[in-house]
Amino acid sequence: MTDSPRPVIRLDKVGRRFPGPPPVDALREATFSVEAREHVAIMGPSGSGKSTLLNLIGLLDTPTSGKYELDGADVAQLDEHTRTALRRDAIGFVFQDFYLMAGRSAWENVALAMVYTGVSAKQRMIRAKQALDRVGLDHRHDALPTTMSGGERQRVAIARALANQPQLLLCDEPTGNLDSATTEQVMALIADLNGEGMTVLTITHDPATAAWASRRLMISDGRIPA
Ligand code: ADP
Ligand code: MG
């Protein structure tokens, strides 16, 4: 973490057109910034372009127009090796469907996120268990995801996102599969992480989830009004 005055995320008229046919402009001239230590929610209905936007910000996809700067770097200028390293080390991802490996324990799921980072196997296990402790799963290190509640699974996914100590946490509908009580627990955890200095972007169509953010932006038909 730095206290750099420049934004962590800066989009200038960013667009994403899927070629089709017919072509779909999933994102149109999106212009906004997210400063370090902010928690910004992006809200919009299904099909409005939320996942497209998050995929671009998370370097899982590339804009077809406009300029995207991540921590001051023009992402279009980065080679694939640098993009991959940034995606792994600087960004943590949390998804609606958790994406845990069913046959692996909670700690193995977290440890696997560190496989390509040069950390020893022993250290990966220790750090994975520390990350699980951090999300309140100290008693569930060895549990299989299939034996866990939705809230527990999402906390494993958050622990995995934290494994490489990212500066930015990107959440795509993190509470989309959770009931309201569990939503509150998961968002309280994310708010805690933000309070400790993590920059967070949460994509959601749920007002109760968005209420946890310090700022909310709306997206509609691929547009984010200023
Ligand atoms: P949201 O996450 O808000 O539900 P998406 O970003 O998934 O919305 O989708 C926005 C629009 O882009 C939708 O019209 C969707 O059908 C379209 N879209 C998303 N991904 C693709 C793709 N790979 N190819 C073509 N169209 C896509
Ligand atoms: Mg989506």
Side-chain angles (χ1 to χ4, degrees):
M1 282 311 304
T2 64
D3 286 318
S4 160
R6 70 188 175 202
V8 174
I9 293 169
R10 186 168 176 279
L11 277 74
D12 185 15
K13 295 188 176 168
V14 167
R16 176 63 163 107
R17 167 171 285 193
F18 292 107
V24 175
D25 285 307
L27 199 64
R28 304 166 199 243
E29 303 206 331
T31 299
F32 68 93
S33 298
V34 177
E35 309 289 332
R37 296 168 180 268
E38 271 197 297
H39 180 182
V40 175
I42 301 198
M43 302 187 67
S46 180
S48 58
K50 301 186 298 296
S51 292
T52 299
L53 176 64
L54 204 81
N55 290 341
L56 293 176
I57 290 173
L59 307 179
L60 298 166
D61 190 16
T62 316
T64 46
S65 57
K67 185 173 176 184
Y68 167 32
E69 289 177 356
L70 178 61
D71 219 8
D74 180 353
V75 165
Q77 307 297 323
L78 303 176
D79 60 34
E80 194 49 43
H81 174 79
T82 308
R83 283 170 64 90
T84 303
L86 263 179
R87 194 159 54 220
R88 185 192 60 216
D89 300 332
I91 306 173
F93 293 92
V94 175
F95 298 101
Q96 173 172 358
D97 294 323
F98 322 131
Y99 294 131
L100 300 176
M101 279 173 274
R104 303 283 194 145
S105 67
W107 79 259
E108 286 174 309
N109 266 279
V110 178
L112 281 164
M114 292 177 267
V115 159
Y116 298 106
T117 60
V119 179
S120 74
K122 169 96 181 163
Q123 272 298 317
R124 292 200 295 268
M125 182 185 72
I126 292 169
R127 288 197 201 173
K129 292 183 173 183
Q130 286 170 343
L132 287 167
D133 293 349
R134 174 64 191 86
V135 301
L137 291 176
D138 7 344
H139 57 303
R140 298 293 262 155
H141 290 175
D142 297 317
L144 293 173
T146 45
T147 69
M148 301 180 123
S149 69
E152 286 178 326
R153 288 181 204 191
Q154 194 58 298
R155 282 189 280 156
V156 175
I158 292 170
R160 179 184 55 195
L162 299 177
N164 296 323
Q165 299 176 299
Q167 67 172 144
L168 175 63
L169 189 65
L170 299 180
C171 310
D172 191 357
E173 304 275 10
T175 60
N177 285 337
L178 306 179
D179 62 35
S180 57
T182 312
T183 289
E184 183 156 335
Q185 290 168 14
V186 164
M187 292 313 296
L189 171 60
I190 289 172
D192 271 356
L193 296 169
N194 174 244
E196 291 167 12
M198 178 100 65
T199 309
V200 183
L201 189 64
T202 299
I203 301 267
T204 185
H205 66 267
D206 173 29
T209 295
W212 287 88
S214 41
R215 183 156 67 92
R216 278 154 290 280
L217 296 171
M218 306 302 290
I219 183 167
S220 168
D221 199 18
R223 294 184 193 281
I224 302 174

